[in-house]
Amino acid sequence: MSRLLELDARHVWHPFTQAGLADPPLPISRAKGSVLYTDTGREILDGISSWWVNLHGHSHPVIAEAVYRQALSLEHVIFAGFTHTPAVELSAGLAKVLPGNLERIFFSDNGSTAVEVGLKMALQYWHNQGVNRTRILALEGAYHGDTFGAMSVSDRGSFTAPFAPFLFPVEHIPAPLPGAEDEALERLTLALASGDTAVFIYEPLVQGSGGMRMYSPEILGKMLRLVHDSGSLLLADEVMTGFYRTGQLFASSITQSLMPTSRSGDIGAVSALEENHSGTGKSKTPGTPSPDIMTLSKGLTGGAMALGITACTPAIFDVFNSTDRAKTFFHGHSYTANPLACAAALASLELCLSGETADAVSRICAEQQAFWKQLQRNLLAENVRVCGTILAFELAVGGESSYFNPVRDRIYRFFLDKDILLRPLGNTVYVMPPYCFSTPELLRVHQAISELLEEANSW
């Protein structure tokens, strides 16, 4: 064992890892584009964008240069009573492309804290007006993060069991998965009837950590209309789905015409990245309400720095804007709006809005869609689904589908032996590549999946 691994084993606590069962971690010395390089020179293809954060490829020179230039002038400053160019320009840039009227930007550090901010923002919105709306609605199977508020609105299970007595009450509505749409609408209608719902939080189109569970924009639109018409707030968690993962810049911008439904209710890839408003992704679909609050992180900085954002409408902000100090939004972190992270996010946003990225996303969507059609014929690939650049299925081996399916480690090692990083969610295999992925690289991943399905016949 190397000195690095000895020290790691002695001092480091890795996330989502059972130290008593896990293999020693792989030391990564550098990364470039879609490839991770170990300290022994091994090259591993990153098929999941390093936990979904990397958009444009590792060590992207545009983002690296932006961070370098910013570090030479201002690395950080308190954001209460001060401001700086990267934060202001990023806020203005996002306001131009976010769906609906999300013009106010609140900074935090990651996806979980962005969700915490959004929940607090929604609850205090009603409190500041003296309105008794305290009920929170969320979807079953959701995952919104690991902090206490984020755990409360996530699905209750093994991840949250040790903290169950400390989580605040949330009413969970069935997710509108194919075949369960009517039940979801019925339960949502009943929950809203009391008139005390403050906010409905949801992952638009794809529940990520919940198992890449997908539902159609049509059914989601119906649910959002019900919530909007009840007077409650809509909180879209786009921590994972933001920045083209679902084929459009934001999942909340996708309409029925842009995202046709494939067979068995699976969501098909966008054939072309047609934006509704000058390429920005602003939704103009009649009758489809936009979020009042949206959370962003992961791909926000292109995977270069930690940063979270909670965007809201002017109507939300105006309820806090007062001469009464008690109506202040008392939330903030030491590294709020860190200039280095904001500079990275600005550079990533510029890359996102380029024609090169749009072309790459369109190509990956088409290639994932083509493989989706191929996988439909394999009996060991259950519930094959695709949404934009994301492809997923359940390997029908090892018993019931769940995060704790014992086949998980075997799948993970199978791909790693082929120098491909795919980290399955139990027996759910998914591919979510960075946009620098070439056609040969994606075909290599698809071929490895085909080999997995062939070998799994004997498992």
Side-chain angles (χ1 to χ4, degrees), residues 28 30-31 34-38 42-44 46 50 58 421:
I28 299 299
R30 65 185 182 92
S34 56
V35 179
L36 308 171
Y37 297 87
T38 70
R42 182 179 173 188
E43 300 181 9
I44 299 173
D46 188 351
S50 283
H58 294 277
L421 172 58

Side-chain angles (χ1 to χ4, degrees), residues 138-264:
L139 292 177
E140 294 175 356
Y143 173 85
H144 295 287
D146 302 325
T147 49
F148 271 84
M151 282 194 294
S152 295
V153 293
S154 297
D155 197 51
R156 305 297 173 89
S158 298
F159 287 7
T160 59
F163 318 105
F166 313 104
L167 304 181
F168 55 74
V170 171
E171 184 164 352
H172 287 84
I173 306 298
L177 302 174
E181 296 94 340
D182 290 343
E183 181 186 5
L185 288 172
E186 181 180 349
R187 287 277 300 277
L188 180 60
T189 301
L190 288 173
L192 293 170
S194 62
D196 61 350
T197 297
V199 62
F200 170 54
I201 181 171
Y202 59 98
E203 298 163 272
L205 302 187
V206 185
Q207 290 184 320
S209 294
M212 297 298 163
R213 306 199 314 168
M214 301 179 185
Y215 32 85
S216 74
E218 298 96 324
I219 185 62
L220 179 61
K222 291 179 181 179
M223 297 182 74
L224 300 186
R225 170 51 59 190
L226 285 173
V227 177
H228 178 80
D229 289 349
S230 76
S232 306
L233 299 178
L234 295 167
L235 199 172
D237 179 355
E238 294 232 27
V239 168
M240 185 275 281
T241 57
F243 304 106
Y244 282 136
R245 288 302 185 193
T246 60
Q248 283 248 326
L249 192 55
F250 300 102
S252 296
S253 301
I254 293 178
T255 66
Q256 181 175 351
S257 62
L258 290 174
M259 183 64 84
T261 305
S262 299
R263 291 175 297 166
S264 303

Side-chain angles (χ1 to χ4, degrees), residues 153-396:
V153 293
S154 297
D155 197 51
R156 305 297 173 89
S158 298
F159 287 7
T160 59
F163 318 105
F166 313 104
L167 304 181
F168 55 74
V170 171
E171 184 164 352
H172 287 84
I173 306 298
L177 302 174
E181 296 94 340
D182 290 343
E183 181 186 5
L185 288 172
E186 181 180 349
R187 287 277 300 277
L188 180 60
T189 301
L190 288 173
L192 293 170
S194 62
D196 61 350
T197 297
V199 62
F200 170 54
I201 181 171
Y202 59 98
E203 298 163 272
L205 302 187
V206 185
Q207 290 184 320
S209 294
M212 297 298 163
R213 306 199 314 168
M214 301 179 185
Y215 32 85
S216 74
E218 298 96 324
I219 185 62
L220 179 61
K222 291 179 181 179
M223 297 182 74
L224 300 186
R225 170 51 59 190
L226 285 173
V227 177
H228 178 80
D229 289 349
S230 76
S232 306
L233 299 178
L234 295 167
L235 199 172
D237 179 355
E238 294 232 27
V239 168
M240 185 275 281
T241 57
F243 304 106
Y244 282 136
R245 288 302 185 193
T246 60
Q248 283 248 326
L249 192 55
F250 300 102
S252 296
S253 301
I254 293 178
T255 66
Q256 181 175 351
S257 62
L258 290 174
M259 183 64 84
T261 305
S262 299
R263 291 175 297 166
S264 303
D266 294 338
I267 300 172
V270 178
S271 59
L273 291 170
E274 298 172 352
E275 308 273 346
N276 289 327
H277 180 69
S278 303
T280 65
K282 285 196 175 283
S283 176
K284 287 186 173 181
T285 309
T288 303
S290 296
D292 301 289
I293 303 170
M294 179 186 286
T295 61
L296 298 169
S297 188
K298 288 197 181 293
L300 177 61
T301 67
M305 305 281 287
L307 186 65
I309 273 177
T310 307
C312 71
T313 64
I316 301 288
F317 176 81
D318 288 345
V319 170
F320 293 82
N321 188 13
S322 171
T323 56
D324 183 355
R325 288 191 184 274
K327 293 186 176 182
T328 303
F329 188 51
F330 293 109
H331 192 103
H333 301 159
S334 301
Y335 282 92
T336 294
N338 174 256
L340 299 177
C342 289
L346 264 172
S348 179
L349 181 60
E350 181 181 348
L351 290 170
C352 277
L353 298 178
S354 70
E356 182 179 355
T357 296
D359 290 343
V361 171
S362 184
R363 172 182 55 79
I364 291 171
C365 285
E367 291 168 351
Q368 295 279 62
Q369 181 80 351
F371 190 56
W372 166 75
K373 293 178 180 178
Q374 178 182 331
L375 283 179
Q376 296 282 332
R377 300 190 293 268
N378 195 302
L379 296 178
L380 285 185
E382 291 186 341
N383 189 23
V384 187
R385 52 206 182 271
V386 63
C387 183
T389 67
I390 309 166
L391 178 139
F393 67 92
E394 274 72 59
L395 182 65

Side-chain angles (χ1 to χ4, degrees), residues 404-422:
F404 295 99
N405 188 304
V407 80
R408 180 266 174 202
D409 291 345
R410 198 166 184 176
I411 298 172
Y412 176 72
R413 292 176 183 131
F414 176 89
F415 288 113
L416 207 54
D417 286 344
K418 295 180 179 296
D419 292 328
I420 295 173
L421 172 58
L422 293 184

Side-chain angles (χ1 to χ4, degrees), residues 61-74 305 340 343-344:
V62 172
I63 298 177
E65 179 66 23
V67 173
Y68 168 73
R69 289 197 309 269
Q70 185 59 47
L72 294 176
S73 59
L74 176 66
M305 305 281 287
L340 299 177

